[in-house]
Amino acid sequence: SVYLLSGRSKDVLDRWFGDLNVGLVAEHGCDFRPPGLPSWEPLVGLHDPAWRDGVIPILQYFCERTPGSSLELKDKIITWHFRDADPTFGSWQAKELQLHLAESCMNLPVEVVSGPKYLELRPVGVTRVAAIQRIVAEFTDPKLDFIFAMGSDKGDEDVFSYLNTYVRDPEGVCITMCCHVGKTDITAADRYVPDVDTAFKVLKEMAPAASTPPVKKAAWNVGPAANSNISSPAVTGNHESTAQGSSQS
């Protein structure tokens, strides 16, 4: 099975990948759609959008002050992008905006998250690790025997750390492989590929093998993320990630 974890909304992912037999995770873990099913299920509790009223004017003000920036309003997350802004001025504005948002959201059920060329307001508790836990829970029969994860975002580093720490076979051996897209000295991944083009080549080469039933059947034990000490180093890259798991068919 193949799962795509993204910061994009459900509508965008349905439009881009809805006709493929892949699992989808929208807005960094807010919503989940299993492979082959048309309906989405929320991964966060009841969502009160009232907090948006106080922060959208601030974000719009910084959009006006920062040429090339834009505001993306999703179902549960708001993202301020500055990828097309002047690099120096955009970074300076992002730091100032982050300070404003941290003060304004102090008593709101949201958190401010920074990423490569964006700032994001998310409901508290939204993580890609929680989405991975939900995906792994899908594999009860047949059991998982291998997970390959690839990504480049800061949230992907949390996923790499979680998989390498908590997903084990019955003998306690970690049978996962994590791959960072883009060379970096700070990553929890086992391997890296230099760029997106190489990542595509790797996935194309893996595709035939992923459809072949494995020889050995194994069970998986997944520990709770709440007990983990997951680091989040700053890693630049794109905004999508891929998790691929194989199971006995």
Side-chain angles (χ1 to χ4, degrees), residues 4 16-24 33-37:
L4 301 177
W16 288 356
F17 308 110
D19 58 341
L20 301 178
N21 187 30
V22 298
L24 300 173
R33 197 195 82 173
L37 298 181

Side-chain angles (χ1 to χ4, degrees), residues 102-141:
E103 183 177 350
S104 301
C105 299
M106 189 175 300
N107 298 316
L108 296 177
V110 296
E111 55 187 351
V112 183
V113 179
S114 63
K117 302 297 182 180
Y118 70 85
L119 283 179
E120 206 154 61
L121 288 164
R122 306 177 187 173
V124 173
V126 171
T127 68
R128 295 191 180 193
V129 170
I132 289 294
Q133 288 181 302
R134 178 65 179 82
I135 291 170
V136 172
E138 289 284 302
F139 291 89
T140 55
D141 186 20

